[in-house]
């Protein structure tokens, strides 16, 4: 069957249309031509739709640039925070299962190590506050409904914990370098702070004990945590680092010297800082009596 493209007349044979005289084409050629035309129109329509969407986004950005900026930055920021939390949680569980892995921490774990130290000081402060607040209400009787001033006590306890941590870390760092260990400062902090992981968990238990008013649980976990962090951990760290330098060296003496240095520094600061801190706490706790 032949078809005229000019008037759509159909006839069985002949090169020219019997109605208008235009050239004739077979029906198959006409169908193939129409299919190719449709295929060419589909990408064009898709490009047009995509272009309209881009124009609409650009128009929205121009009309409200602040909203466009917030919308563009919110998703990457949320994803980064979520990824950071997942990374820290994996790191925390990894060391909680085997704290000896802390000595394998590199400089990449510096941020996580500092988070550990901050969390330890924070949980230490909160556990003491909640314990003291429970005791304060218990001794005050039913008429004592007020709580201890949170923002006057907790920041001071937090600062006090950081001072003690700085003393122990500084002493351990001095003895480590005296033992001729060549590790970088960042690596030492990363390793030292990673050892804090089980004690961060222990302080969290102390916080929960303070919240529920369990004096025994809070006191017991706090004592263990304090003894370990301010005596055992620096000694253990110095012993390990001195052993890496020389397994047959004076690692015992370096470890004992760490304890003596910590005790000496604390003694020097006792009158200037600690006694004043204790007197301020006593003033805060006696205002209701």
């Amino acid at each position: 069957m032949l078809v005229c493209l000019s008037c759509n007349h159909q006839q069985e044979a002949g090169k020219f249309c019997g109605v208008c005289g235009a050239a004739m084409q077979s029906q198959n050629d006409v169908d193939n031509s129409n299919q190719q035309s449709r295929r060419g129109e589909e990408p064009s329509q898709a490009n047009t739709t995509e272009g309209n969407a881009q124009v609409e986004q650009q128009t929205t950005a121009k009309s409200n640039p602040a909203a466009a900026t917030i919308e563009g930055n919110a998703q990457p920021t949320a994803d980064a925070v979520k990824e950071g939390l997942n990374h820290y949680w994996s790191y925390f569980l990894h060391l909680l299962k085997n704290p000896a892995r802390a000595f394998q921490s590199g400089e990449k774990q510096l941020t996580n190590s500092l988070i550990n130290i901050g969390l330890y000081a924070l949980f230490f402060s909160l556990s003491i506050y909640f314990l003291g607040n429970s005791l304060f209400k218990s001794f005050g009787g039913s008429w004592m409904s007020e709580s201890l001033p949170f923002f006057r006590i907790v920041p001071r306890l937090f600062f006090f914990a950081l001072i003690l941590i700085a003393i122990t870390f500084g002493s351990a760092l001095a003895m480590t370098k005296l033992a001729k260990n060549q590790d970088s400062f960042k690596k030492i902090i990363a390793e030292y702070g990673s050892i804090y992981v089980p004690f961060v968990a222990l302080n969290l238990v102390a916080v929960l004990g303070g919240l529920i008013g369990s004096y025994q649980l809070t006191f017991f976990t706090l004592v263990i945590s304090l003894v370990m962090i301010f005596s055992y951990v620096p000694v253990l760290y110095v012993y390990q680092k001195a052993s890496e330098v020389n397994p047959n060296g004076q690692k015992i003496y370096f470890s004992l010297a760490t304890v003596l240095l910590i005790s000496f520094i604390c003694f020097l600061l006792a009158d200037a800082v600690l006694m004043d801190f204790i007197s301020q706490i006593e003033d805060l706790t006696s205002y209701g009596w």
Side-chain angles (χ1 to χ4, degrees):
M1 180 66 67
L2 300 177
V3 179
C4 176
L5 298 180
S6 178
C7 66
N8 293 327
H9 174 69
Q10 297 181 356
Q11 61 189 42
E12 295 292 337
K15 294 184 178 180
F16 301 99
C17 177
V19 176
C20 65
M24 303 292 291
Q25 287 190 3
S26 66
Q27 183 68 44
N28 293 334
D29 292 340
V30 173
D31 293 340
N32 292 335
S33 178
N34 292 337
Q35 291 178 359
Q36 291 178 358
S37 299
R38 294 192 191 97
R39 291 173 183 175
E41 289 176 357
E42 290 178 356
S44 177
Q45 293 176 354
N47 293 334
T48 302
T49 303
E50 183 178 357
N52 292 336
Q54 293 178 353
V55 170
E56 183 177 355
Q57 291 177 355
Q58 293 176 358
T59 303
T60 303
K62 290 180 180 179
S63 61
N64 195 352
T69 302
I70 294 174
E71 183 179 357
N73 295 335
Q75 187 64 30
T77 302
D79 292 341
V81 171
K82 184 178 180 180
E83 182 180 356
L85 290 175
N86 290 334
H87 180 265
Y88 177 77
W89 180 243
S90 300
Y91 155 86
F92 189 89
L93 291 180
H94 180 72
L95 291 177
L96 188 62
K97 295 177 181 177
N98 186 2
R101 295 168 178 165
F103 293 102
Q104 302 173 1
S105 300
E107 295 183 3
K108 293 182 179 180
Q109 302 298 340
L110 177 62
T111 301
N112 291 331
S113 175
L114 295 176
I115 292 175
N116 289 338
I117 294 175
L119 288 177
Y120 179 89
L122 177 62
F123 292 157
F124 170 83
S125 308
L126 292 176
S127 59
I128 293 182
Y129 171 78
F130 290 134
L131 176 62
N133 196 50
S134 298
L135 292 172
F136 178 72
K137 290 184 177 181
S138 297
F139 293 141
S142 59
W143 56 272
M144 186 62 67
S145 59
E146 295 184 2
S147 300
L148 293 174
F150 181 87
F151 292 104
R152 292 183 61 186
I153 295 179
V154 173
R156 297 184 183 187
L157 289 171
F158 182 81
F159 182 68
F160 172 69
L162 290 180
I163 290 177
L164 292 180
I165 292 172
I167 292 174
T168 56
F169 172 74
S171 301
L173 176 63
M175 290 299 106
T176 299
K177 291 302 181 183
L178 192 61
K180 298 182 180 180
N181 186 282
Q182 300 300 320
D183 288 344
S184 66
F185 181 72
K186 291 182 178 180
K187 178 174 174 58
I188 291 176
I189 295 180
E191 292 179 345
Y192 195 85
S194 295
I195 302 176
Y196 274 58
V197 165
F199 306 107
V200 171
L202 197 62
N203 273 13
L204 181 58
V205 174
V207 173
L208 297 177
L211 284 172
I212 64 178
S214 177
Y215 312 133
Q216 295 84 355
L217 177 61
T218 304
F219 182 78
F220 180 73
T221 52
L222 272 179
V223 169
I224 294 178
S225 176
L226 286 173
V227 171
M228 291 295 183
I229 283 295
F230 300 119
S231 61
Y232 178 74
V233 168
V235 171
L236 172 66
Y237 186 80
V238 171
Y239 184 89
Q240 174 67 23
K241 304 311 287 185
S243 299
E244 293 177 2
V245 175
N246 185 3
N248 298 320
Q250 302 295 337
K251 50 191 176 184
I252 297 294
Y253 285 117
F254 284 122
S255 301
L256 294 177
T258 305
V259 177
L260 294 176
L261 182 58
I262 292 173
S263 302
F264 179 70
I265 296 175
C266 290
F267 175 77
L268 293 179
L269 295 178
D271 292 335
V273 178
L274 300 182
M275 297 305 297
D276 180 65
F277 176 81
I278 293 174
S279 63
Q280 291 181 8
I281 294 297
E282 290 177 350
D283 292 340
L284 289 174
T285 55
S286 62
Y287 78 96
W289 300 95

